[in-house]
Amino acid sequence: GRSGHVRACDPYFLYAASNTGSLLALLAFPLLLEPELTVAGQSHAWLYLYVVLVLILVSAAAMLWRADKPATVQQVAPPASAIPWRERLIWVALAFVPSSLLLGVTTYITTDIASAPLFWVLPLALYLLSFIIAFARQSWLNREVLLKAQSIGILAVSILLILVLAFQRGGSVMLIVSVHLLTLLLTAIVCHGELARRRPDVGVLTTFYFCMSVGGALGGISNALIAPVIFSSDYEYYLILIAACLLRGPTARFTIRDAILPLLLGVVAALVTWFAVDSKLLNLGGRMMLLLPCALVLYSFAASPYRFAIGVGAVLCGVYLVAGSANVIHTERSFFGISKVTKVEGGARIALIHGTTMHGSEFTDPKRWGTPIAYYALPGPIGQAMTRMGPHPDVAAIGLGTGALACYRKPGERWTFFEIDATMERIARTYFHYLSICGENVKMVFGDGRLSLNAVPDRSYDLLFIDAFSSDSVPAHLLTREAMALYLRKLRPHGVIL
């Protein structure tokens, strides 16, 4: 802005350039640095590159200090104090929503869909890409087409969330992840594109940049620090989707019809959910017959930001309240995701649900307590293996779940459960009876299974269960060659891994 360059009056394209650098560095980490460098090597590389960055900044400052200071647009631009506070708040909000949505999508996918190493690189790359597209010198985006695509994306995410909430149905992991990530990208481009469209003269660029930074920081704070404390489920993801609908037109006017029609749709969605929840009568075709009209009505609201936001919020809220009250006994949130204890099969069993997956169940009839069922049933693979094998003096299991494995313990055996989430033991002892009946004296070790097992002396166990899941996926670091070598080291001769 002070350089006298031909584009000094509108230097915002440099924001696209800086985010291009960030994107290249981000992609270089998992592809080049992480595979080739040790942790210490990465630390040294970071230190050297940071020194280079400081030298570049000092050089740029020296060049600017020595240069003549030509008249620029700054001298005729309005002062920062002339910018209305409403405009500043809009800047903050337009930066806040994509930042919060980035973390919401990342958390939802990595805890409820698939636990994959370095997965956070992908949504963060899309977030940076949205800045590059929005602040490019020449924009090729058609705003109307972009808004329609975003509305379809938000509807698709809402339908996927309803399928999980009301019908406990997931679907193809690739499809689910793709829909959530594409909606993140479209929403980020819409918000950042609006920021680029509202950019002020270069004279108040610092104020604009500060407001953007505040919005981005607040997005991170709200998701990482506030939401886990005040919410028992991932409500922040739903709320930020609603906020994204509102920001489709920050200057739109609100009318009473924008509230009445969406609220009526929310009531209908709640009634349908009340009928459909845990219903075996609704196959895929039946579910689509219920969801498709809801999606079409919501799409008709997309032209009005308020109507669209209230509609998405009313439908999600109605479905969640009914689904959450119909069969859910307990919901608890931890760093590792959201765990629910629910009634299934008309109350004949209770089940532990983590993310989109059932992780064990038990009969509600007291006469049948302590009988392993579901994955751990006697006719199943675990039951077959345990009945054919003789006693094992020392047994370890990575992953607790409901504690059903403990009911295969034979007299004289010493069992140890390695569990990363202390919430699991509390749920297992409070709502299930496997540990109280079969595992009163089992040892609990809390912490990452691989790290905790590594601290145990070699050749300590005769039988080792690997039964750790995050939603429907085994954490990848428990499946590597190094992990398998660790398991083998901890086994005694003729020991068994299940």
Side-chain angles (χ1 to χ4, degrees):
R2 299 176 180 175
S3 66
H5 190 273
V6 65
R7 296 191 62 86
C9 62
D10 187 19
Y12 288 94
F13 68 93
L14 292 176
Y15 201 57
S18 66
N19 280 281
T20 301
S22 298
L23 180 60
L24 292 175
L26 178 68
L27 298 178
F29 178 74
L31 298 178
L32 301 177
L33 297 180
E34 199 275 338
E36 301 297 331
L37 296 177
T38 62
V39 174
Q42 294 174 33
S43 178
H44 292 148
W46 182 89
L47 175 61
Y48 300 146
L49 290 171
Y50 198 80
V51 171
V52 172
L53 172 63
V54 171
L55 292 176
I56 292 173
L57 291 174
V58 171
S59 300
M63 292 169 61
L64 190 61
W65 184 266
R66 294 174 56 187
D68 294 332
K69 297 179 181 179
T72 67
V73 71
Q74 283 184 303
Q75 296 177 353
V76 296
S81 59
I83 302 174
W85 275 102
R86 183 179 184 277
E87 184 67 13
R88 299 187 192 202
L89 291 176
I90 290 176
W91 292 343
V92 171
L94 288 169
F96 171 87
V97 166
S99 173
S100 178
L101 190 61
L102 164 68
L103 294 179
V105 168
T106 305
T107 300
Y108 180 77
I109 292 176
T110 54
T111 58
D112 286 359
I113 306 299
S115 179
L118 293 175
F119 178 84
W120 55 269
V121 169
L122 189 54
L124 183 53
L126 296 177
Y127 176 76
L128 295 174
L129 179 63
S130 69
F131 277 115
I132 298 170
I133 294 173
F135 284 89
R137 187 177 299 180
Q138 291 184 340
S139 176
W140 46 269
L141 295 175
N142 184 309
R143 189 169 183 273
E144 293 301 318
V145 173
L146 188 62
L147 287 174
K148 288 182 179 179
Q150 184 210 18
S151 62
I152 294 173
I154 291 176
L155 286 177
V157 168
S158 301
I159 294 301
L160 290 176
L161 292 175
I162 292 172
L163 282 172
V164 172
L165 294 173
F167 304 106
Q168 287 79 49
R169 294 292 187 272
S172 166
V173 171
M174 288 299 298
L175 174 64
I176 295 172
V177 170
S178 299
V179 169
H180 284 273
L181 290 180
L182 182 59
T183 304
L184 165 65
L185 176 62
L186 292 170
T187 301
I189 293 175
V190 167
C191 293
H192 294 153
E194 186 67 16
L195 271 173
R197 192 174 69 86
R198 290 173 171 269
R199 65 187 185 274
D201 292 330
V202 67
V204 287
L205 184 151
T206 305
T207 302
F208 177 75
Y209 187 82
F210 179 75
C211 290
M212 287 179 61
S213 301
V214 167
L218 289 177
I221 291 171
S222 66
N223 282 58
L225 301 180
I226 299 175
V229 175
I230 65 175
F231 294 147
S232 62
S233 188
D234 46 359
Y235 299 128
E236 69 275 11
Y237 187 26
Y238 310 152
L239 292 175
I240 210 63
L241 283 173
I242 297 169
C245 299
L246 282 173
L247 290 180
R248 289 162 56 81
T251 57
R253 297 187 63 180
F254 176 78
T255 65
I256 192 65
R257 292 187 63 187
D258 291 331
I260 293 177
L261 296 177
L263 291 175
L264 288 175
L265 180 62
V267 172
V268 172
L271 292 174
V272 170
T273 304
W274 181 263
F275 165 76
V277 68
D278 202 32
S279 173
K280 297 181 180 179
L281 300 176
L282 291 177
N283 55 17
L284 177 61
R287 292 193 294 271
M288 294 310 299
M289 287 180 64
L290 293 173
L291 293 173
L292 187 58
C294 177
L296 292 174
V297 175
L298 276 179
Y299 185 74
S300 70
F301 294 163
S304 169
Y306 290 110
R307 191 175 302 182
F308 192 44
I310 297 173
V312 171
V315 169
L316 288 177
C317 182
V319 171
Y320 191 91
L321 288 176
V322 172
S325 62
N327 289 315
V328 176
I329 300 171
H330 176 72
T331 301
E332 190 161 348
R333 180 176 186 170
S334 71
F335 177 82
F336 304 99
I338 298 162
S339 301
K340 298 179 181 179
V341 180
T342 65
K343 297 178 182 178
V344 294
E345 295 182 357
R349 294 188 296 122
I350 60 170
L352 172 62
I353 309 293
H354 180 264
T356 59
T357 305
M358 190 267 287
H359 283 276
S361 63
E362 186 180 37
F363 292 114
T364 53
D365 182 358
K367 296 179 181 179
R368 307 180 75 179
W369 286 350
T371 303
I373 54 177
Y375 311 112
Y376 310 104
L378 192 62
I382 291 177
Q384 294 177 39
M386 294 301 292
T387 53
R388 293 180 184 182
M389 291 188 295
H392 296 83
D394 291 285
V395 180
I398 297 180
L400 174 64
T402 61
L405 274 176
C407 286
Y408 284 105
R409 186 174 65 153
K410 298 179 177 67
E413 291 182 346
R414 296 175 293 273
W415 280 52
T416 301
F417 280 95
F418 294 89
E419 174 57 53
I420 196 171
D421 189 357
T423 301
M424 287 294 104
E425 187 200 20
R426 186 163 58 252
I427 290 176
R429 291 195 183 277
T430 304
Y431 298 97
F432 298 87
H433 303 88
Y434 295 116
L435 290 180
S436 61
I437 294 174
C438 310
E440 274 299 322
N441 298 319
V442 300
K443 181 182 178 181
M444 292 286 177
V445 177
F446 295 106
D448 179 84
R450 184 169 163 183
L451 295 177
S452 300
L453 191 63
N454 191 47
V456 175
D458 291 348
R459 299 181 180 271
S460 292
Y461 299 111
D462 303 282
L463 174 62
L464 179 58
F465 285 100
I466 310 299
D467 189 29
F469 280 81
S470 178
S471 189
D472 201 27
S473 300
V474 180
H477 74 288
L478 296 178
L479 295 174
T480 60
R481 288 180 302 221
E482 292 81 3
M484 297 300 168
L486 170 67
Y487 306 151
L488 291 172
R489 286 204 314 272
K490 303 306 173 181
L491 282 180
R492 291 171 181 152
H494 308 293
V496 177
I497 298 176
L498 279 178

